[in-house]
Structure formats: C-alpha cells, structure tokens
Amino acid sequence: MKQQNDDVILLAHGDGGALTSELIDNLFQKYFTSDFIRSQTDAAIFKANSKRLALTTDSFVVNPLFFPGGDIGKLAVCGTVNDLAVSGAHPVYLAASFIIEEGFERTMLEKVVSSMAASCNEAGVEIVAGDTKVVERDHLDKLFITTTGVGWVSPEIDMGYHRILPGDLIVVNGNLGEHGIAVMGQRHGFDFDNQIISDCAPLNIIIKNLLQQCSGGVKLMRDLTRGGFATATKEIAMSSGRDVWLKEDHMPIAPVVQGAARMLGLDPLYLANEGKFLMIVDPKEADTILEILHHDSLGVNAQIVGEVKIGNGNVYLETMLGGTKFLDLMTGSPLPRIC
Amino acid sequence: MKQQNDDVILLAHGDGGALTSELIDNLFQKYFTSDFIRSQTDAAIFKANSKRLALTTDSFVVNPLFFPGGDIGKLAVCGTVNDLAVSGAHPVYLAASFIIEEGFERTMLEKVVSSMAASCNEAGVEIVAGDTKVVERDHLDKLFITTTGVGWVSPEIDMGYHRILPGDLIVVNGNLGEHGIAVMGQRHGFDFDNQIISDCAPLNIIIKNLLQQCSGGVKLMRDLTRGGFATATKEIAMSSGRDVWLKEDHMPIAPVVQGAARMLGLDPLYLANEGKFLMIVDPKEADTILEILHHDSLGVNAQIVGEVKIGNGNVYLETMLGGTKFLDLMTGSPLPRIC
C-alpha cells in the first residue's frame, strides 16, 4: 500500500517539476541558505581570483542503463557538461562517483566507464576525481553515477533573468522529446523501428561557438532535461516576471516522436532532452544566432519558437487549431529515472 | 546463489582495500587517464590562475542512516571537508546530490539536511550546488548522498610521497576505530552502554592551525576512513617505497573499542574513522606538532605511533608481546556501507 501524502518523498519530488521546486523551496533552502542555492540556476558561479568558476552536480539513476543513443555514462558526462555550458561556463574538470550494486557485471561497468571516457573526449573535459561504493545486492538498482563539474566563466559573459525584456525571442537548438521517448521506449520494450534515439550530446562546443560570435545577443540559456521545454520555459517566465507566448506549429518535434508520445500518453514539451537548450535572445541578433546554430550538427533544426511579452509569469501556447493553452510546471504522473 | 568471481562487482570492491585498488588500477584508470586519477590522492589539485584549487568527491551510503555520534548528513559534509583538508586545501564550497527512495519520510530527510547545515557551519563551508533524484520503492535503500568539495591550496603547501624520508615519524591525532564500531554496533543492535560514539568531525580547523604554525614539518597527511589506519599506512609505504614500523602499544585505541572489536572479530587498525588523520612528520618538528595537536579537542590523544625506515613498501607492527606482524591492505571480509 502506497502512502500518498506530504509526509513522504514521492517519485514526483524527483521529476524536476512542481514538487521538486516545492522540496527545494521548503526543505533544502530552509537549511542551505547560500545565495547560489536560492538562485536555482544550473551551476553556482563564484570568484576564484580574477576568474569566475562554475560548479554543478547531478546524480544519474536512469533506467535502463543502456538505451538507443546512449547510456548512463554518456548521460552523466553530457548532463554535467551541459549544465556548465548553459551557465556560460567552459567545462574543464569532472568528478565522478559510482554507487554499484553487489553482483553487477564488470563488463557492463567497463562499457559505462569507456562511454564516459569517449564523451569526456568529445567535450574536451577531464575526470580528475572519483569514488566507488558498493551496496549489497537488492539494496540499489544496478548503478548510480554522480558527476560534478567545474568550469571557467569568461569575463564578458552576462546572462540572467534581469536581461530578459518584452520582444525577446525564444530559440531552441533542435527537435524536442527524443531522450524521453528513447528511454521510455527501451524501458517498456517498444523499438519504434530504431527511429527514435536519445539526443544525448555535449553542448559545450556549439554554445562556445555561439557565445564567441554573438555573446551579447544571448540573454539566458537553459538545458531542457527533467521537466522538458515547458517546465524550463515556465520557470523562466516566473523568475523574470514576464509572459512567454509560444507557437505550437513552430515547435521542432519529429513526427515519429509526436506519434510515440501520443501512444504513451506523454506531451513532448514535457519530455526530457539531453542535447537541447533554449535561449532567450535579443530579436536584433536572432537571425545571426539561428545561422550560427544551423551550421552545427547539433543545431540544424534550431527554431524561433516564441516571444517574451509584458505579463506576470505565464506561458501560453498558441495551438495549431487556433486555441490558446496555459503551460505550467510539470505536475501529475511523473516519469521517474529518465536521467 | 552468489557469484564469487572476477566477472562481477563484489562488496569488497567498495571497502577501500585491495580490491578497490584493483578496480581503480585495472578498470577506471584504463579509461580515465588523468594524472590526478593516477595519483590516487584524496583530492585533485589544479591551477586556477595563480591559486591552486582542490576537487574531491565521495558518495555516502552508510547503513544505518543515524548512528551514535552522527548521521549520513554529518558524514557527507565531514568526509568531503576532510579529504580536502588532508590534501592541504582550505575547503570552501560543497555540492550535494541526494538520491532518495520513494516513500522516505520527509522528517528524516529534514533531520539529515539540518545536520548537514550544522556541519557546514562548524567547518565554515557553504553548499552552493545540489541535485535531487527519487528512485522507486525497493530500488534503493533509503538515501544516498554524494558530496563534492572545492578548496584552495595555499602556495606554501608542499606535501607528497616525494618528501618522505627514513627517520620520519608517523603521528595520528587520536583514538582509532570509533566510527567503524559505532556504525556496526548500531546496525547489529549492540549499544555498548553508549560508550562508543563515532568520531565524525570536520578536521579542517585543526589542520589549518597545524599547517599555519608548522607547515614545513608535515610531509604528508591522509584521513583514515574506509580501510582504516592500516590500509592508509600500507598505501603510503607502497607509494613512497619506504617501510613503516609501527608500535602496537603506542596505538591510541580506547579499551572499550578494543573489547567491542574483539567481540565482533574486527581489527581496530582496519576500522573506518571519520575524524582521524595520520601525518608523516619531520622528526625535528614532531614535538611541536604534538603540542599543537594536544591543544585542540580533536587532537588530545594524538600520538607518535611509528617510524619510516629504508625498505620497499612494507608495514610492520611490533606487537605488545614482542612479535612482529605484517600489515597489508584490507582484504577478506568487507565491512560494507560504513560510510
């Protein structure tokens, strides 16, 4: 019999949506009073002499460990690299901690570790610290990895909610929902004719190129992991006190993902991505930014999907049928262990 | 039926002894080729402009979550702070990632989080980044925490195996084995009349005082967690290519811990400590160092316990009965989930 009340932790406390926010606000922030925690950004940025340093951490508990397009190791590296990159930091060093179930196959562990090394190589980062713990059989589901990343922030970078103005545009770098569907499909034994693979990829190179060529035009970036595009957009609207208006027919979603999501009863706008980010951009720079993105394999499907307007923290989706839909933080049936 | 072969991960791969070393050497180092990982120190130290920065990470899976003298939260903060401190770094920032079992009581989580905040306060560090994941009921035993720490290393600090010479002395800051016995006792329902409590404590203040007053005399420090005093000493002997000779009657071990360890079939020299460190010190500075330690509540039982000699990586214990015993890395029956 499951308890469903305020006294216990629910799966939805971990899905990156409304209950996760509630837990951070009402429990963690009560005791961890750092301004960094309060700001709820993807990475904490602090001064190290003249340079600014960024620090971020994430635990990965994805189930299954291997899925089309990736595995827990690739995810652990890319997720942490991407949190640094969207904060405007150049990722440099990672720490990785492994919690392993007794009896886990060594060849599987090696597969994960070699995948991490390949992703580090691709992103140009180095794992410099680590830890291994083993837990008795049946006290942990196979393998969890926690990665922590350190990066440098260039002096010219200035991103934040304070820069967001009415008229700014919302840009995403490509198709939404692929990671979520790839993992859910693998978990439930659907194969989608191998047409849906996770978008898991390190975003630091494409973001570095973008910021080098057009740093002033990018006002804020967010990666679109747990809670997906919709939750990230709602958080931006609330934190900036602006409204965001999105156009459903501008949303880059592959038809096969759209179909699979419908079949599974899921909304692609709330599905996790692991190689996607959104930007709030100056409208004067939007064309330049799109052109830069379109030249990178990780940005070929980049699109302008909406606009910031005066308001008070709401997100509206203009549907293809001509209606208007509110988008809120993810609530309701959680997708556990998607990353 | 348990598999007991090379193809699967065993509990002993996580106990900090010989099999943990084997896993790091043969699997992790095959793919993570950083010099920092190769050096197997408590923290990676790298340059950030003119300053040196230290990074360390640890997962905590202790069972039970609450034990005499501490809990998983206190342990997670102290363990990471201490890894930085024994590396000669001043701990400054922590990241904390929580993996929680669905159904975990919120009051328990709050107890852990408030304990972390108290330990951060005591150590003078700040939690600046975090993550929360929730895993389905029965797929994780209650709560695991991974903490990662960042600290600065003062320019005058120069510690390492290269500085160890024959004639150097081994100093520990107090009684050994208390954390291990406190956790094992709690797990198995022994109460030892409340006489054995974990030594869990942040060591950064005592170490900072010591290094400020006598930095040149301290050649190397190690905290004495998984694998205990004996494993740390053996690792130092092997890495420096020296022998270490220890005197059993100089080892600070409380009689009640000695008795409890005997009852449980454990050797206090291999038991985990969470508020103890060993130093290799210049014999000319040993008296000064002991005096400094004895003035701190975390060092009142500090002792010289042995000496470095010419040799090739062996550790010898001169027993109270006049015999000599080899000490090796921890092997054999592992103590899982001690931290």
Side-chain angles (χ1 to χ4, degrees), chain A:
Chain A
M1 198 181 73
K2 293 203 180 193
Q3 284 174 275
Q4 288 287 344
N5 60 39
D6 287 351
D7 299 338
V8 299
I9 298 299
L10 309 174
L11 280 174
H13 280 115
D15 71 2
L19 277 183
T20 305
S21 280
E22 182 274 321
L23 190 68
I24 295 172
D25 291 347
N26 296 332
L27 197 152
F28 289 110
Q29 288 198 5
K30 191 164 149 191
Y31 297 98
F32 302 158
T33 54
S34 162
D35 290 340
F36 300 113
I37 297 287
R38 252 175 236 291
S39 70
Q40 293 195 31
T41 48
D42 287 303
I45 296 178
F46 49 85
K47 280 259 183 186
N49 286 12
S50 58
K51 271 193 172 176
R52 284 181 297 169
L53 213 69
L55 181 71
T56 187
T57 194
D58 263 301
S59 288
F60 295 87
V61 297
V62 68
N63 171 28
L65 297 177
F66 300 88
F67 48 82
D71 58 68
I72 189 171
K74 183 178 182 184
L75 204 57
V77 171
C78 295
T80 295
V81 161
N82 294 349
D83 274 339
L84 291 172
V86 297
S87 306
H90 303 290
V92 187
Y93 295 119
L94 299 189
S97 193
F98 298 80
I99 312 180
I100 311 171
E101 184 183 14
E102 177 192 15
F104 188 66
E105 287 167 52
R106 201 167 161 129
T107 51
M108 289 296 113
L109 182 61
E110 181 150 1
K111 237 175 124 175
V112 168
V113 169
S114 79
S115 165
M116 291 180 83
S119 295
C120 283
N121 198 37
E122 191 181 346
V125 299
E126 199 180 351
I127 291 179
V128 298
D131 184 39
T132 307
K133 294 277 157 49
V134 181
V135 165
E136 315 90 311
R137 211 177 281 263
D138 298 329
H139 284 69
L140 152 72
D141 191 10
K142 299 185 186 79
L143 173 67
F144 301 156
I145 302 177
T146 301
T147 37
T148 306
V150 174
W152 312 117
V153 185
S154 301
E156 72 278 8
I157 299 294
D158 174 29
M159 296 193 296
Y161 298 120
H162 63 282
R163 289 197 56 208
I164 300 176
L165 294 174
D168 286 348
L169 299 176
I170 323 292
V171 174
V172 296
N173 68 311
N175 292 0
L176 299 174
E178 290 164 357
H179 176 75
I181 294 289
V183 171
M184 294 304 285
Q186 182 75 18
R187 194 184 298 170
H188 296 296
F190 309 126
D191 75 352
F192 306 123
D193 295 333
N194 296 317
Q195 287 182 77
I196 303 179
I197 65 165
S198 167
D199 60 339
C200 184
L203 291 167
N204 56 321
I205 311 289
I206 185 173
I207 288 176
K208 185 181 165 196
N209 289 339
L210 186 67
L211 294 181
Q212 271 176 349
Q213 294 176 64
C214 192
S215 78
V218 180
K219 300 183 167 193
L220 190 88
M221 291 190 284
R222 283 287 305 268
D223 60 347
L224 307 176
T225 56
R226 279 184 296 176
F229 173 86
T231 302
T233 305
K234 175 66 179 170
E235 285 173 0
I236 291 171
M238 291 192 300
S239 295
S240 65
R242 312 288 184 185
D243 280 356
V244 173
W245 284 78
L246 302 167
K247 284 189 191 301
E248 191 174 28
D249 59 359
H250 286 43
M251 290 291 164
I253 300 169
V256 60
V257 168
Q258 195 69 266
R262 199 171 293 127
M263 186 185 87
L264 294 165
L266 301 168
D267 181 344
L269 295 183
Y270 285 91
L271 286 174
N273 310 274
E274 293 292 341
K276 295 299 168 339
F277 62 112
L278 74 75
M279 282 151 283
I280 310 291
V281 309
D282 186 327
K284 292 190 296 290
E285 306 282 354
D287 287 343
T288 313
I289 287 167
L290 275 185
E291 207 189 311
I292 297 167
L293 291 174
H294 288 156
H295 275 91
D296 192 299
S297 62
L298 296 177
V300 283
N301 292 324
Q303 292 252 36
I304 296 170
V305 296
E307 190 183 344
V308 176
K309 297 195 179 179
I310 294 177
N312 36 41
N314 294 315
V315 179
Y316 301 93
L317 180 73
E318 295 177 62
T319 67
M320 293 189 208
L321 300 170
T324 303
K325 210 164 98 175
F326 264 105
L327 294 185
D328 208 339
L329 298 176
M330 182 152 79
T331 52
S333 69
L335 294 180
R337 302 181 64 186
I338 207 74
C339 61

Side-chain angles (χ1 to χ4, degrees), chain A residues 92-96 120 125-131 148-150, chain B residues 32-46 53-57 148-149:
Chain A
V92 187
Y93 295 119
L94 299 189
C120 283
V125 299
E126 199 180 351
I127 291 179
V128 298
D131 184 39
T148 306
V150 174
Chain B
F32 303 157
T33 53
S34 163
D35 290 339
F36 299 112
I37 297 287
R38 251 175 237 291
S39 70
Q40 293 195 32
T41 47
D42 287 302
I45 296 178
F46 48 85
L53 214 69
L55 182 70
T56 187
T57 195
T148 305

Side-chain angles (χ1 to χ4, degrees), chain B residues 127-147:
Chain B
I127 292 179
V128 297
D131 184 39
T132 308
K133 293 277 158 49
V134 181
V135 165
E136 315 90 312
R137 213 176 281 262
D138 298 329
H139 285 68
L140 152 72
D141 191 9
K142 298 185 186 78
L143 174 67
F144 301 156
I145 302 176
T146 301
T147 38

